[in-house]
Amino acid sequence: MTTDLHSTAPLTRQAVQATLHCLTGCAIGEVLGMVLATWWGWANGPSIALSIVLAFGFGYSLTLVPLVRAGLGWRRATRLALAADTLSIVTMEVMDNAAVLVVPGAMAAGLTDALFWASLAASLVVAFVVTVPVNRWLIARGRGHAVVHAHH
């Protein structure tokens, strides 16, 4: 039994690191999108759309920029970033937005309301927990962040 845990620990550690990487980009985009949309008084639909677009943009850029710095061309780096991050970001965004939507009053909360920040933080935790197994599954099959590790 102990052998099984030790043999899966490196894979799980990689999945956690990949998910934290993805979470960083998604959180930057998600928080920025929600803050801007709330500040501008946007409705729920446009607010979520802006957050998703920014989450994907920041999520991909955190993979893309280091690949370009490592000497890959923009086209190759973009293809690798898309291959490495898409399923992870999609999973994270679905869970993140679903979690915020189910919290009563979260979408109507203002920037100075504790509910706004608490629901946003809780949604990112939910997204992280759900996305770790997705990244673990991808990495175990040589996909996801396993695709870009050779280039770092």
Side-chain angles (χ1 to χ4, degrees):
M1 183 102 144
T2 309
T3 306
D4 291 339
L5 286 175
H6 289 296
S7 65
T8 62
L11 181 58
T12 301
R13 193 172 318 117
Q14 283 182 337
V16 166
Q17 290 173 341
T19 307
L20 284 172
H21 181 265
C22 181
L23 179 69
T24 301
C26 288
I28 292 168
E30 194 73 33
V31 171
L32 182 60
M34 288 295 185
V35 166
L36 290 174
T38 300
W39 180 31
W40 296 331
W42 286 11
N44 290 352
S47 173
I48 291 170
L50 175 63
S51 294
I52 290 171
V53 167
L54 291 175
F56 271 90
F58 281 99
Y60 284 135
S61 70
L62 289 182
T63 298
L64 180 65
V65 171
L67 290 172
V68 171
R69 285 186 183 154
L72 271 68
W74 280 99
R75 182 175 291 192
R76 176 82 173 123
T78 300
R79 283 195 300 254
L80 284 171
L82 291 171
D85 292 339
T86 299
L87 186 57
S88 181
I89 295 173
V90 166
T91 303
M92 196 160 283
E93 284 305 297
V94 166
M95 295 313 302
D96 176 44
N97 286 293
V100 169
L101 288 170
V102 300
V103 174
M107 291 301 294
L111 294 175
T112 59
D113 295 330
L115 179 61
F116 176 89
W117 296 103
S119 63
L120 195 51
S123 74
L124 293 171
V125 170
V126 169
F128 175 81
V129 169
V130 172
T131 307
V132 168
V134 171
N135 281 323
R136 190 179 188 288
W137 182 83
L138 288 167
I139 292 167
R141 284 150 186 80
R143 298 179 187 251
H145 272 258
V147 174
V148 297
H149 279 236
H151 301 284
H152 287 275

